[in-house]
Amino acid sequence: MTPGPRTTALAARIAACEAPGINTLVGDAGTETDCVWLEALGANVLDVDGNVFLDLTAGFGVAAVGHRHPAVVAAAAAQADRLVHGLGDVFSHPGRIALAERLAARSPFSDARVYFAISGADAVEVALKTARLHTGRDRVLAFDLGYHGLTLGAARVTARAAFREPFDPRPEGVLRARFGGPLAPVEELLRSGRPGAVVVEPIVGREGVVIPPSGWLAELATLARSHGALLIADEIFVAFGRAGEWFVSPAEGVVPDLLCCGKALGGGWPIAAVLAEREIMECWRSDGEARHTATFVAHPIACAASLATLDQLEQLIPAAPRRLAEGLLPLLSAAREHGFEVRGRGALWGLVDQRAARLQRRLLEVGILALAGGPSGDVLQLCPPLVITDAQLAAVCERGIAALERLGSG
């Protein structure tokens, strides 16, 4: 049963020492939480009370090759024996160079340059600053379902008001349009507001698993460029096989001006990157110190883990996302029969209904971790590791269908 006694005791300790609002699983009274993770391997998570869960969150999409993949852990351990940390923006190291070359080669750009970041939000900051430097314009056009991170610049272009309004000193600097909606209003904003960048998730991840109409992204790219704005594709959540391919934008016939990626890249270690053509990245050239950097940028262990992760992804994409979609089909069909809208593709699905949070609880009771989210909390996201086995998928479907039936009976 969850929460178990150790989880409950640890939740009280969390509440006694962490700032409020950081650990969102702690209840209002500060004395309850669902589970406290102890170990994770592959698609399994073990909590401190000995409960084993099948993980359909992949750690917010990070564990695409599974939790604690042995090849990734071995690469990180080997790197730790050589070099744990360096001077991020002063001296390089072989792993950083190899990873930059690997990402550039995999990117959709003909003469790619890589700008490393330490998180997805940091990558968005880099992309926004690049657009500002390159175009000389400070306004940005963003969309109503976008989630781009919670650092100051990224939060400004994030849609949900609760995330941005307390911290946004210049709300007029961000123009907003409807994701996947008619493009005539977008063109009017591009014409009247003259933004330097359009930032968009090719597939909305955290805020509800929403796929735009066919051709919408390509038309948006054409419009943005016709008005002198750079198209920033935020693929931090969906890149590296989550939606079925390495990168979503090129699969939709679009080469963005800036492509942000992260999450799955590090195999569990914090790292992200922005990819673009050399001509765009030239705006960063400076005789002085780096104008955007961090102490831990391109961290040696994170780079080693990323290279090992890319090795595994080469073996998984595109077959694994297709296998997952087929393996989840019984659960997706049952969800439709129980009144849920089902949307998604590859290894990313959303079950949409006001009962999403209740279904999350029912699934937890049968040993499945999934998260309900979206602006109204009505989308249960299914985002399993790409390495989840067929037997585990069968167990997810069996237990998930039982949870749906219990949900239907109240």
Side-chain angles (χ1 to χ4, degrees):
M1 289 293 293
T2 58
R6 290 191 178 117
T7 289
T8 300
L10 286 170
R13 289 171 60 185
I14 292 169
C17 60
E18 281 203 22
I22 295 176
N23 194 315
T24 56
L25 289 183
V26 175
D28 290 338
T31 58
E32 59 180 320
T33 189
D34 289 328
C35 65
V36 174
W37 291 21
L38 181 65
E39 293 184 34
L41 181 66
N44 286 337
V45 171
L46 175 71
D47 80 357
V48 293
D49 290 288
N51 298 304
V52 178
F53 301 91
L54 285 165
D55 181 19
L56 298 191
T57 75
F60 295 128
V62 167
V65 301
H67 295 282
R68 219 170 83 222
H69 191 288
V72 177
V73 172
Q79 179 61 49
D81 273 344
R82 295 191 298 270
L83 178 69
V84 171
H85 179 64
L87 290 173
D89 63 322
V90 178
F91 300 119
S92 194
H93 55 86
R96 176 178 187 162
I97 297 164
L99 181 58
E101 291 174 338
R102 190 88 171 265
L103 288 172
R106 176 55 71 179
S107 81
F109 304 107
S110 60
D111 189 13
R113 294 295 184 269
V114 179
Y115 204 123
F116 284 113
I118 57 173
S119 69
D122 188 35
V124 171
E125 299 282 351
V126 169
L128 293 171
K129 286 183 175 182
T130 303
R132 174 77 177 271
L133 286 172
H134 184 77
T135 67
R137 304 185 199 171
D138 62 353
R139 281 189 167 184
V140 181
L141 191 151
F143 291 89
D144 62 348
L145 292 176
Y147 180 86
H148 304 290
L150 299 181
T151 52
L152 193 58
R156 290 183 67 215
V157 294
T158 289
R160 207 184 299 190
F163 291 148
R164 59 181 168 80
E165 285 186 350
F167 314 106
D168 191 353
R170 289 187 61 238
E172 70 279 3
V174 178
L175 313 170
R176 302 191 185 276
R178 179 184 163 200
F179 179 82
L183 287 170
V186 172
E187 183 167 24
E188 178 56 35
L189 288 171
L190 287 165
R191 184 182 297 114
S192 61
R194 298 189 73 250
V198 175
V199 58
V200 65
E201 293 177 82
I203 295 176
V204 169
R206 185 191 192 281
E207 291 293 81
V209 189
V210 183
I211 299 175
S214 178
W216 184 85
L217 187 65
E219 290 182 40
L220 175 66
T222 299
L223 276 179
R225 286 163 182 158
S226 70
H227 291 277
L230 299 187
L231 182 71
I232 300 172
D234 179 349
E235 299 207 20
I236 291 157
F237 194 97
V238 297
F240 305 120
R242 180 55 54 194
E245 53 276 309
W246 281 89
F247 298 112
V248 174
S249 305
E252 296 296 322
V254 176
V255 177
D257 296 297
L258 295 148
L259 194 159
C260 303
C261 58
K263 287 197 183 292
L265 174 61
W269 275 263
I271 191 168
V274 181
L275 314 177
E277 291 285 0
R278 177 191 59 78
E279 186 272 332
I280 288 178
M281 287 298 194
E282 279 295 310
C283 65
W284 285 101
R285 192 173 295 280
S286 170
D287 293 333
E289 293 190 19
R291 290 183 287 181
H292 184 103
T293 187
T295 300
F296 297 102
V297 71
H299 190 272
I301 296 178
C303 288
S306 295
L307 287 165
T309 297
L310 291 174
D311 287 342
Q312 299 304 311
L313 290 170
E314 293 280 0
Q315 302 174 44
L316 292 167
I317 301 170
R322 286 200 296 261
R323 179 181 64 85
L324 265 64
E326 293 170 2
L328 288 171
L329 189 57
L331 177 57
L332 301 178
S333 299
R336 288 190 184 96
E337 292 171 4
H338 283 81
F340 284 78
E341 177 191 351
V342 176
R343 58 197 189 208
R345 76 185 200 209
L348 177 62
W349 296 88
L351 309 183
V352 188
D353 188 87
Q354 292 300 323
R355 298 167 291 168
R358 287 173 52 206
L359 180 56
Q360 174 183 321
R361 168 57 61 181
R362 294 296 189 196
L363 289 173
L364 189 73
E365 292 169 354
V366 296
I368 294 175
L369 296 176
L371 294 176
S376 302
D378 61 351
V379 183
L380 187 82
Q381 187 182 87
L382 309 181
C383 175
L386 300 182
V387 296
I388 191 171
T389 67
D390 290 341
Q392 288 173 323
L393 283 171
V396 164
C397 290
E398 180 182 354
R399 298 181 202 174
I401 290 169
L404 283 165
E405 291 171 352
R406 288 188 62 199
L407 185 72
S409 63

